[in-house]
Amino acid sequence: MDNARMTSSILFVCLGNICRSPLAEGAFRAEAARRGLDVMVDSAGTGSWHVGRPPDPRAQAEAKRHGVDISGLRARQVTPRDFRRFDRIVALDAQNFADLQAMRPGDGTARLSLLLDHVPGRAGSAVVDPYYGDAAGFGTCWDDVAAGARGLADEIAADGAQPKG
Ligand code: 4NP
């Protein structure tokens, strides 16, 4: 087993950390729990506008529809230190990815990817920002982050992440 490639921590990153990345965090936590994967999960935003706030009420409602409670999450901004703390940093869209690449410190070790790169047939696609749209956009967003969570969990399980014991 290649220990250097094992994943035990993941940070999901979008722009505001109130819609897409908290949903990705919630979907991945649920997926990891179902599979018994022991992975530390967090989310953050590239922007600072919503720091300290809970997820958008529409995101909370969508997660709840799927049995996932994200009400206790609070927005924070991604920092260069996150590139040393997390094994993987997963961006929700290409702009988030580019912003993360630009801030990666020289000693950053995290593997950076786009969430939908982990879904067969959807590499390079964005999870569309639902913030300025209607409630239906949050349903689409959930479907996308849940697919991403399943794909990521498949890869992590194949990499040899330890089941919770
Ligand atoms: P998120 O959505 O990046 O999925 O959390 C957004 C939330 C707020 C803003 C933009 C995107 N905003 O500009 O305030």
Side-chain angles (χ1 to χ4, degrees), residues 3-4 23 26 30 43 45 53 56 76-77 83 127 130-131 133 158-159:
N3 286 324
L23 283 172
S43 63
R53 303 223 181 107
D56 186 288
R76 74 170 179 90
Q77 192 170 22
F83 287 84
V127 175
Y131 184 65
D159 275 357

Side-chain angles (χ1 to χ4, degrees), residues 88 90 113-120 123 147-148 150-152 155:
R88 291 177 183 256
V90 180
S113 63
L114 198 57
L115 181 64
L116 292 181
D117 285 350
H118 302 283
V119 180
R150 287 191 294 273
L152 253 177
E155 289 174 35

Side-chain angles (χ1 to χ4, degrees), residues 14-22 49-50 129-132:
C14 64
L15 177 58
N17 194 208
I18 57 168
C19 297
R20 292 166 294 172
S21 60
W49 310 283
H50 302 283
D129 188 349
Y131 184 65
Y132 293 107

